[in-house]
Amino acid sequence: MLETIITRLRSVLSLANDKLKPVFSICRGHQLPAAGASIDKTTLPAGWMELFKNANDGSNEGIISTERPFFSVQFHPESTPGPRDTEFLFDVFIDAVQKFAETGAVEPVKLPGGTKAENEARMPRANVQKVLILGSGGLSIGQAGEFDYSGSQAIKALKEEGIYTVMVNPNIATIATSKGLADKVYFLPVNPDFVRKIIEFERPDGIYVTFGVLGTPIETIITTEDRALFAHAVEEIGEKCAESATATSPDEAAQAAGTIGYPVIVRAAYALGGLGSGFAQDEAQLRALCEKAFATSPQVLVEKSMKGWKEIEYEVNFDPLGIHTGDSIVVAPSQTLSDVDYNMLRTTAINVIRHLGVVGECNIQYALNPTSQEYCIIEVNARLSRSSALASKATGYPLAFIAAKLGLGIPLDEIKNSVTKVTTACFEPSLDYCVVKIPRWDLKKFQRVSKTLSSSMKSVGEVMAIGRTFEETIQKAIRAIDDRFTGFGESEMVDDIDYELLNPTDMRLFAIAAAFKKGYSVDKIWQMTNIDKWFLTRLYKIHTLESAISYVQAITSIHPSLLRRAKQMGFSDRHLGACLGSNELAVRRLRQENYIAPFVKQIDTVAAEFPAFTNYLYTTYNASEHDVRFDDRGVMVIGSGVYRIGSSVEFDWCAVRAIRTLREQGRKTVMVNYNPETVSTDYDEADRLYFETISLETILDIYELEQSQGVILSMGGQTPNNIALPLYRQNVKILGTSPEMIDTAENRFKFSRLLDKIGVDQPLWKELTSFEEARAFCQKVSYPVLVRPSYVLSGAAMNVVYTEADLSNYLSQATAVSREHPVVISKYIEQAKEIEMDAVAKDEN
């Protein structure tokens, strides 16, 4: 049969000009002329040439006749399901058929887009020797360490091309401004006056501002940032934004809202992190929002509200539209979009970005009606966005690095995939794992601040977890937010379940857990929250398993299959210990006795289609083998974890400098961190990167697997310090200061006692044992007093108490922060100068 088909096809292709017809062959049809085998371009007969080539392995993907209307492709242009990038080939074929029918002229098929040589002439490579990069300046909500990561990636990409780099950034606590990265750094404000002077002095050949003069044109940036211009540009290609109008005064905004109809959302132009935005149900709320928005921007956009629709960026947000993406839980890959929805939005993104003329990185946000295929574009950022670091870390695709190369005019198929080292950057990452991002809020640090989450961003950091299932991954992510949380479970911090569900706050996930415990159904919670039922059903599975484990009478009674299932569902040893009335280490011993241990898997960006050479790793219980061997015995450096007020990019700087110093000394290194905004979680910084939570259980697992030479805890700030003593008690070799001395410094009682012992003067103090004793002590020394919990950073729950009435409230806050460590009260010295000193020491020197 095959021989008959091949013979017939060859006879069709060799017909005389007056009898031939245009031919388009797809997939198997592409192979038939070569007797059903793959085609080798070196054996093509005269009159044929290669049309498509696989940029990764060099194999042939299509051929075309140079004389007659024949062409074929190995892939499926109809792509249903799948991307629609090559659907145009059917238009090409139909045009060829029509032309042949009308004229009878025998000529090759004409393809759009021009030749490679024509395209290179149209978009030549940038001829630059010196480039100026503008940094992000001081950290702020919505603009934090992720832009340090982006800037560092850009410098790496430019240095690889032999280009001299000049960085302008006044933020000293960044890797991008550190010695050894940029060739020259200006610690100056990023504003027109200073930048103009630097340009006059340095005379650079190009400037990167999206992370353009290099890269995306300035006109495109203006179009995407100006709400009116953006809406007009999107309409030009038949796409739609939400019904909206721009305004330059509160009266104009009120008039626009009256025309559109309430509720509306107000957005400030040229703002990051949703600054100055919010939802208005009536004119009074609108004018209050305008007052804030016009304080930050000369223009606002009044837009029809689509609260409750799905919000889609690169990822699909767990939370429905109405909560800023920076404050949303994000899940990747898309779990609740159909293939049709996904590719509809993907095609729209490509069309919009081509029309706008973006070069390099950008992101696009949509609102999608959950009950139909109706969608609209919320916004496009023609620059590295806040979520670009997250997308890079979630996929292993270094967006900022590649954007910098694209800005130089280097095409994607000539940029190497830095994970596989053999494939090109011209691909879309494939995820054979699940990623969950959860924001971190520090709202307790402020009085009279609303906890309600809306369109203006409030989070100060974010965590990212990687696993093989949604359940495993979201439990990891919850633990990463704060070590108080053991996983998805009820929290005593949720006061009013119904209010939390109807009005999203930073406690929303725990309100859902509490609701399940009280008997709420998935349907009821969905009606109250608009969170997709797929997510709620998965969370309910975690709840039911926790309930089943809690029924087990004793830790010795739990069946190994139930214990294994719990670990596969993301339960930590500590969480299981609490459920079983035992402790973390007892569960760990039980696990080890039953050979239940995590496996180490690689992120390779291509779902194992090509081997990975970069050790970007995570652990999971949903696997049957390791992806790597453990021969390095590297030194482990523990990162800072999530950013919070008082623990930010400066600790990432410490961790990265430690890793680089160790590597300079020829030591193998292992980085453990879970913060996607950091340079330390860039997979080319350490020999091995574990994107994992920083907890006793995880660090012990990795330490034992890697047979590590030792662990450095001192670079990551408070998070690693909190587990120093427990690790030491499990015979982990801690490099640097002894964990007993760390405990003496961190434990307020021990530290105060040490000062007394060595004769260092300090205010009168007492360890808290009961409220009555605390009150008696305060009366003795007189107010004001300082309430200080142990093992905290940046004064978390540390308060100056002026009256007895405040004492009870502050003490309850302090013990909530750190139950396992004592709280010390000391006399507060007023109007004293505070002096700080940094030093390095070895032994007593």
XYZ file of all heavy atoms in Angstrom, residues 128 130-133 204-208 213-214:
93
model
N 27.155 48.109 18.919
C 27.411 48.871 20.153
C 28.604 48.292 20.899
O 28.826 47.084 20.898
C 26.174 48.891 21.082
C 25.022 49.647 20.455
C 25.717 47.478 21.438
N 29.469 50.151 24.055
C 29.196 50.599 25.427
C 27.693 50.831 25.585
O 27.069 51.497 24.762
C 29.953 51.897 25.726
C 29.751 52.375 27.181
C 30.258 53.797 27.406
C 31.765 53.844 27.586
N 32.200 55.188 28.070
N 27.132 50.262 26.661
C 25.688 50.361 26.884
C 25.410 50.870 28.302
O 26.066 50.464 29.257
C 25.003 48.993 26.670
C 23.590 48.999 27.213
C 24.974 48.632 25.194
N 24.442 51.769 28.404
C 23.993 52.306 29.695
C 22.728 51.549 30.115
O 21.792 51.401 29.326
C 23.687 53.795 29.550
C 23.319 54.568 30.818
C 24.503 54.665 31.760
C 22.830 55.969 30.447
N 22.721 51.043 31.360
C 21.544 50.339 31.888
C 21.003 51.145 33.069
O 21.741 51.468 33.999
C 21.904 48.914 32.359
C 22.505 48.102 31.205
C 20.674 48.200 32.909
C 23.094 46.782 31.635
N 27.469 56.667 25.713
C 27.204 55.258 25.378
C 26.619 55.134 23.969
O 26.045 56.081 23.432
C 26.184 54.834 26.434
C 25.470 56.103 26.782
C 26.501 57.196 26.687
N 26.756 53.933 23.394
C 26.184 53.672 22.067
C 24.702 53.332 22.150
O 23.993 53.378 21.138
C 26.919 52.496 21.405
C 28.405 52.790 21.254
O 28.738 53.863 20.726
O 29.214 51.946 21.682
N 24.243 52.916 23.325
C 22.837 52.555 23.482
C 22.430 52.562 24.941
O 23.268 52.587 25.841
N 21.113 52.581 25.181
C 20.574 52.638 26.543
C 19.482 51.582 26.687
O 18.638 51.430 25.807
C 19.957 54.027 26.857
C 20.979 55.143 26.607
C 19.456 54.073 28.290
C 20.377 56.525 26.708
N 19.512 50.850 27.800
C 18.410 49.957 28.152
C 17.590 50.637 29.243
O 18.088 50.873 30.333
C 18.937 48.624 28.694
C 19.276 47.613 27.638
C 20.602 47.329 27.327
C 18.272 46.917 26.961
C 20.923 46.382 26.367
C 18.593 45.977 25.998
C 19.913 45.714 25.705
O 20.224 44.776 24.750
N 15.831 52.455 24.087
C 16.566 52.911 22.914
C 17.139 51.685 22.227
O 17.089 51.546 21.007
C 17.658 53.915 23.318
C 18.487 54.320 22.116
C 17.013 55.129 23.970
N 17.661 50.761 23.046
C 17.902 49.404 22.572
C 16.676 48.603 22.985
O 16.166 48.759 24.082
C 19.146 48.797 23.238
C 20.504 49.277 22.718
C 21.599 48.739 23.594
C 20.720 48.846 21.282
